[in-house]
Amino acid sequence: KVDDLFKKQQAFGYTQEDLVRMIVPMAKDGKDPVGAMGADAPLAILSDKPQLLYSYFKQMFAQVTNPPIDSIREEMVTSTRVMLGNSGNLTDPNKAGTYALSMRTPILTNQELASIKALDCRRMKSVTLPILFDPTKGADGLRDALNELCEKAEEAARTEQNVLILSDRGVDENHAPIPALLAVAAVHNHLIRKVLRTEIGLILESGEPREVHHFCTLIGYGVTAINPYLALETVRDLQARKRLGDITPEQAEKNYIKAAVGGIMKVMSKMGISTVRSYHGAQIFEALGLNTNFINKFFVNTPTRIGGIGLVGVANEALARYDRAFKSDESVLEPGGWYGPVKDGEEH
């Protein structure tokens, strides 16, 4: 079981730094860890190591001298609630067929996701689509898998389903995960082009996201809720190995989700946004190191001023993580070194 967890952590690019600097403080203290300004690690496009797609996006912020909103002291105007399902027509609030679940936060536990997957009543139906591709086919395999995913999502939106779950469970020697942010943005923008996006709610069940920036980019590019199953599994493993002090597994998971949601609110407040529903799909990011064709297809209208890699480059980085998990005999996670210099880690 531990070996299985380790393989999955490798496949999704987990590092020792992710565990020590991000996940442990979140699960132990229930707060998003704070670091100093002045990051001196290279931009993702200039790094020698394979990067997650999130690292190519930078959050924009309201460029004013006073903070646009204080998410702690002005908590009464903030809301983490999201609506999942058919959000209908804003100009016709009584439109027949509009039906949605109201959820307290955009981060879901495994139990909450299982409840949503089990929905099968007249007005709420869910469907799960895999976000995996054939690693032997390289970038072509990723491109084909994305095209097929968008077609199936469109088909689901045109039928009775109103909850679409994108899942990368099932990663193994024969299946590599599509980068979660790419899958989400591809489906979201495809459904917008087909004028179907409001017909269906979008959930991500993924082992890839584990820190606040990951959750923010996913919500910003259209996902309604996220179940970070591998992060939650990692939290429970850390608790079992006594890395989180004297707390129960349930409390550790609760702390982690609380830290993630608090961090999302903190990031949103930099732009003066006070509700997750306003941040959802707002795409308030700029890309650094992604080429224009790639952005225009999957991340429509996102500024990208310096160009860089496209689908082939993103596929190569995903396959580098896959190869480390299933084609090497590495027995430890990569050191990381994004937030601070470490031996054999990221250059600074």
Side-chain angles (χ1 to χ4, degrees):
K1 184 64 182 171
V2 172
D3 185 47
D4 184 36
L5 171 65
F6 176 68
K7 286 285 183 204
K8 285 189 285 189
Q9 287 174 334
Q10 283 186 311
F12 287 110
Y14 272 59
T15 64
Q16 294 173 39
E17 183 179 56
D18 285 333
L19 302 188
V20 175
R21 290 209 179 199
M22 301 303 295
I23 296 177
V24 166
M26 289 170 79
K28 195 173 179 181
D29 307 322
K31 289 181 180 171
D32 177 30
V34 177
M37 291 175 67
D40 61 349
L43 295 174
I45 187 67
L46 301 176
S47 171
D48 295 332
K49 299 183 180 298
Q51 299 292 324
L52 293 170
L53 188 54
Y54 313 102
S55 304
Y56 290 89
F57 291 86
K58 304 294 179 192
Q59 160 87 27
M60 295 192 210
F61 60 96
Q63 299 186 34
V64 291
T65 50
N66 56 314
I69 185 171
D70 182 333
S71 61
I72 298 170
R73 290 164 190 82
E74 297 178 82
E75 192 180 8
M76 65 179 292
V77 298
T78 65
S79 170
T80 59
R81 280 202 172 274
V82 290
M83 302 295 284
L84 177 73
N86 177 348
S87 51
N89 183 346
L90 286 174
T91 62
D92 180 11
N94 298 314
K95 181 187 173 194
T98 299
Y99 207 67
L101 287 174
S102 173
M103 298 188 299
R104 204 165 39 83
T105 76
I107 309 295
L108 301 176
T109 64
N110 295 343
Q111 293 83 353
E112 287 166 338
L113 180 66
S115 301
I116 292 168
K117 280 186 173 181
L119 286 172
D120 189 19
C121 61
R122 187 172 60 85
R123 301 180 73 181
M124 289 298 284
K125 282 185 168 64
S126 69
V127 59
T128 302
L129 299 180
I131 50 171
L132 304 167
F133 72 101
D134 183 348
T136 61
K137 294 183 179 175
D140 289 336
L142 178 58
R143 185 179 288 107
D144 293 344
L146 282 168
N147 290 337
E148 187 181 347
L149 175 66
C150 289
E151 284 170 19
K152 286 184 174 175
E154 181 183 340
E155 189 182 316
R158 292 188 189 280
T159 56
E160 289 184 342
Q161 279 92 5
N162 54 3
V163 177
L164 180 60
I165 301 165
L166 306 181
S167 175
D168 58 27
R169 280 190 185 270
V171 169
D172 57 23
E173 291 88 345
N174 304 313
H175 299 91
I178 298 175
L181 181 59
L182 178 57
V184 162
V187 168
H188 176 69
N189 281 301
H190 179 75
L191 293 179
I192 288 174
R193 280 191 286 266
K194 300 294 181 181
V195 200
L196 290 168
R197 183 63 187 90
T198 58
E199 299 297 324
I200 203 159
L202 200 55
I203 290 181
L204 175 69
E205 179 184 26
S206 176
E208 193 182 78
R210 60 255 193 190
E211 59 181 79
V212 169
H213 179 64
H214 300 173
F215 299 132
C216 287
T217 41
L218 288 166
I219 296 167
Y221 281 99
V223 85
T224 316
I226 304 155
N227 168 237
Y229 66 84
L230 187 56
L232 298 176
E233 202 176 317
T234 301
V235 165
R236 286 180 172 263
D237 178 64
L238 289 166
Q239 188 276 338
R241 291 194 279 125
K242 308 294 185 201
R243 297 276 298 275
L244 303 179
D246 188 24
I247 57 174
T248 63
E250 293 75 20
Q251 187 59 48
E253 188 174 287
K254 200 172 174 181
N255 285 351
Y256 175 80
I257 291 174
K258 179 186 172 188
V261 173
I264 293 167
M265 296 305 295
K266 188 166 65 175
V267 172
M268 285 173 14
S269 67
K270 292 197 301 179
M271 199 65 178
I273 294 174
S274 63
T275 69
V276 174
R277 291 183 69 191
S278 297
Y279 191 77
H280 178 219
Q283 301 195 170
I284 309 176
F285 295 87
E286 62 176 334
L288 287 166
L290 298 174
N291 70 42
T292 310
N293 291 340
F294 180 75
I295 290 291
N296 288 347
K297 184 165 176 59
F298 301 111
F299 298 90
V300 185
N301 294 331
T302 298
T304 177
R305 296 181 177 88
I306 63 170
I309 62 170
L311 192 67
V312 173
V314 172
N316 289 342
E317 295 198 313
L319 289 168
R321 293 188 288 274
Y322 162 83
D323 288 347
R324 186 176 173 85
F326 298 108
K327 292 188 178 178
S328 78
D329 53 3
E330 295 281 349
S331 58
V332 292
L333 294 174
E334 284 261 14
W338 184 260
Y339 298 104
V342 294
K343 187 174 183 295
D344 299 325
E346 197 66 66
E347 294 288 339
H348 280 255

